């Protein structure tokens, strides 16, 4: 974990910044997020991410850190990093679980190909294929631009 020397401020200074962030100070919140960025990476590196990309896991960890800052009570006597560790881990695992659910919902293209492939397709089957194709295109249009391009190129 990060000591007072490494973080650059004492427990009391950290408590003051946390109280300011909870009161709505964006500057204090940003400073705390920056100062504890290493903690997020430390936690993420020690997690099994399944197929969740590291960058996405770090972003989920940052969400956990943000919630930890807003929910921490400095009067309870524990270090912030101890409290934040649990929140960061919780959000990273929520991201991993979401990734697992996403993968389970995917239908392999081989299955789609076998289902819709015929040597002499009838018009009803062609209409059904076109409907599926349009639905897939609509889903791709809802993705962020970079991800949509990756899907379209694939």
């Amino acid at each position: 974990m990060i000591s007072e020397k490494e973080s650059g401020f004492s427990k009391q200074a950290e408590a003051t910044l946390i109280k300011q962030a909870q009161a709505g100070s964006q500057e204090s919140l940003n400073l705390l997020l920056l100062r504890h960025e290493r903690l997020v990476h430390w936690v993420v590196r020690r997690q099994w991410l399944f197929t969740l990309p590291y960058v996405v896991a770090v972003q989920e960890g940052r969400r956990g850190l943000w919630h930890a800052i807003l929910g921490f009570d400095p009067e309870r006597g524990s270090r912030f990093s101890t409290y934040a560790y649990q929140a960061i881990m919780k959000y990273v695992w929520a991201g991993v679980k979401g990734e697992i659910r996403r993968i389970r919902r995917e239908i392999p293209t081989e299955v789609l190909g076998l289902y819709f492939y015929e040597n002499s397709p009838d018009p009803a089957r062609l209409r059904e294929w076109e409907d599926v194709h349009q639905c897939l295109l609509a889903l791709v249009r809802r993705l962020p631009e970079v991800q949509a391009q990756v899907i379209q190129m694939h």
Side-chain angles (χ1 to χ4, degrees):
M1 293 287 190
I2 300 171
S3 67
E4 279 185 25
K5 276 185 181 179
E6 292 172 335
S7 67
F9 56 99
S10 68
K11 189 174 181 178
Q12 187 59 37
E14 185 175 56
T16 303
L17 280 173
I18 289 171
K19 287 179 182 177
Q20 290 172 349
Q22 290 172 347
S25 170
Q26 189 65 40
E27 189 175 316
S28 296
L29 181 63
N30 289 339
L31 183 59
L32 285 164
L33 288 170
L34 283 173
R35 290 209 172 165
H36 291 286
E37 179 74 13
R38 287 178 51 205
L39 176 63
V40 172
H41 286 274
W42 187 83
V43 172
V44 169
R45 279 193 305 269
R46 282 155 182 76
Q47 301 301 314
W48 179 67
L49 300 178
F50 193 58
T51 59
L52 185 70
Y54 181 81
V55 176
V56 176
V58 167
Q59 190 61 30
E60 292 298 322
R62 288 177 184 141
R63 286 183 57 220
L65 176 60
W66 177 70
H67 281 278
I69 291 169
L70 297 179
F72 181 67
D73 182 8
E75 306 299 320
R76 300 213 54 189
S78 64
R79 293 283 301 177
F80 173 72
S81 58
T82 305
Y83 178 81
Y85 174 85
Q86 294 296 323
I88 293 167
M89 203 167 60
K90 175 183 167 185
Y91 275 81
V92 169
W93 271 101
V96 170
K97 287 178 187 176
E99 179 72 5
I100 290 169
R101 281 193 304 274
R102 183 192 66 77
I103 287 172
R104 284 184 183 156
R105 283 193 308 261
E106 288 181 355
I107 300 172
T109 54
E110 297 84 26
V111 172
L112 284 175
L114 288 174
Y115 180 75
F116 289 106
Y117 179 76
E118 284 186 22
N119 289 335
S120 57
D122 65 316
R125 185 72 76 173
L126 286 174
R127 266 186 265 113
E128 188 177 1
W129 175 250
E130 186 59 31
D131 290 343
V132 169
H133 184 73
Q134 292 304 319
C135 288
L136 289 174
L137 285 177
L139 288 172
V140 169
R141 279 189 226 109
R142 290 178 17 197
L143 291 172
E145 185 177 330
V146 174
Q147 290 175 345
Q149 287 176 349
V150 170
I151 298 292
Q152 289 168 352
M153 288 186 337
H154 182 67

